[in-house]
Amino acid sequence: MTAQTSEPLPDVIEPEVLLDVADGVATITINRPRRKNAMTTASWELLGEVVEAVRVDPEVRAVVLCGTGGDLCAGSDLGGPPDPRHALTRMRALGDIAATLYELPKPVVARIDGVAVGAGCNLALGCDLVVATPRSRFSQIFAKRGLSVDFGGTWLLPRIVGIQQAKRLALTGEIIEGPEAERLGLVTWLKEPDEIDEFVDDLAAGLAAGPPIALAQTKEMLHAGSGSSLREALEREAVAQVVNQGTDGPVAKQAFLDKTEPVFEGRWRL
């Protein structure tokens, strides 16, 4: 699904969102490097299809989200073809993509060595872990475009950086670089450009080797925790541990006793 643009076309037209699955890791790559991976309607739709495919693929145990050329995403391409749908219909469709990404029952790592701006910034914040370089740049650019924050930013930002810093970023639209983004909590790890690929590969491999059901339950409970009481959280934890005892818990216990490394399959064993 490739949108028509006025930019010169390469000899071979590649999809604007690429998917590669290997060794349990799905790598989703936004592939519009000449536009700093800014998204057209067609590329947003394709990203939604790819995220859904990853969600239901039992072979995928972890996900890496990145962009060709290092930039993750410069938001929506304001120079792209107009969307014929009603504006509210279009925004709700974008919201569905943001929610599906955030709710993926698999760990998601964002890799950034460039810009993550506007919806692209919130695309990164919807991931579980963010690995960036000192030269990466983040911005809630919306105000400078006459817009309010979208793609989940009004919900994600306060939970990650607190309400005051969220207002700072959203109301000013300022651009911050990797070290400041790490200080605020937008970035989980800051790595040098020549280190980031190996780090992300090792991180994703480790997540893919983890117990898939246990990790999915932990992620869901962490998401739910801020909106629930302690007793509600404890009840969810109790139910999750019962599920784990019928899944990968016994495997980990036996490996501990045998002094070996467990191999987690996420299979119901009772």
Side-chain angles (χ1 to χ4, degrees), residues 23-251:
D23 300 322
V25 177
T27 301
I28 302 173
T29 305
I30 301 173
N31 188 39
R32 303 192 76 234
R34 289 171 295 172
R35 303 291 290 174
K36 293 188 177 296
N37 298 318
M39 304 286 277
T40 63
T41 296
S43 47
W44 278 124
E45 290 177 351
L46 184 53
L47 178 62
E49 292 169 8
V50 169
V51 170
E52 176 61 20
V54 164
R55 185 185 72 82
V56 300
D57 187 344
E59 299 300 316
V60 173
R61 304 269 290 262
V63 181
V64 174
L65 179 65
C66 58
T68 302
D71 296 308
L72 178 65
C73 175
S76 292
D77 188 346
L78 300 182
D83 191 325
R85 297 174 296 178
H86 189 285
L88 187 56
T89 300
R90 175 174 57 84
M91 291 307 304
R92 285 173 172 164
L94 287 177
D96 287 341
I97 298 168
T100 302
L101 175 69
Y102 182 77
E103 294 168 355
L104 274 181
K106 307 169 186 192
V108 184
V109 180
R111 177 205 176 279
I112 306 166
D113 185 24
V115 303
V117 172
C121 183
N122 296 328
L123 188 64
L125 301 186
C127 299
D128 302 305
L129 304 165
V130 179
V131 186
T133 66
R135 65 189 182 190
S136 59
R137 301 184 303 282
F138 299 79
S139 176
Q140 297 287 330
I141 199 74
F142 301 93
K144 293 185 177 180
R145 302 290 181 261
L147 301 170
S148 51
V149 174
D150 65 20
F151 212 77
T154 59
W155 192 87
L156 292 163
L157 265 180
R159 285 164 170 78
I160 294 171
V161 303
I163 187 64
Q164 194 167 52
Q165 291 297 336
K167 288 178 179 178
R168 164 198 167 187
L169 296 173
L171 299 180
T172 68
E174 70 176 289
I175 297 173
I176 60 172
E177 296 186 348
E180 175 72 354
E182 182 188 35
R183 187 186 71 79
L184 290 175
L186 298 174
V187 169
T188 320
W189 291 280
L190 201 65
K191 296 294 175 180
E192 293 300 323
D194 61 351
E195 298 174 343
I196 189 170
D197 285 337
E198 182 178 0
F199 182 86
V200 169
D201 288 346
D202 290 345
L203 175 62
L207 292 168
I213 303 302
L215 294 184
Q217 292 183 108
T218 294
K219 177 174 174 175
E220 182 180 9
M221 289 188 292
L222 288 171
H223 285 176
S226 62
S228 63
S229 69
L230 172 60
R231 288 194 175 275
E232 289 170 332
L234 289 167
E235 177 62 18
R236 282 194 296 269
E237 291 170 0
V239 172
Q241 292 294 38
V242 172
V243 172
N244 293 329
Q245 290 308 311
T247 312
D248 283 322
V251 175

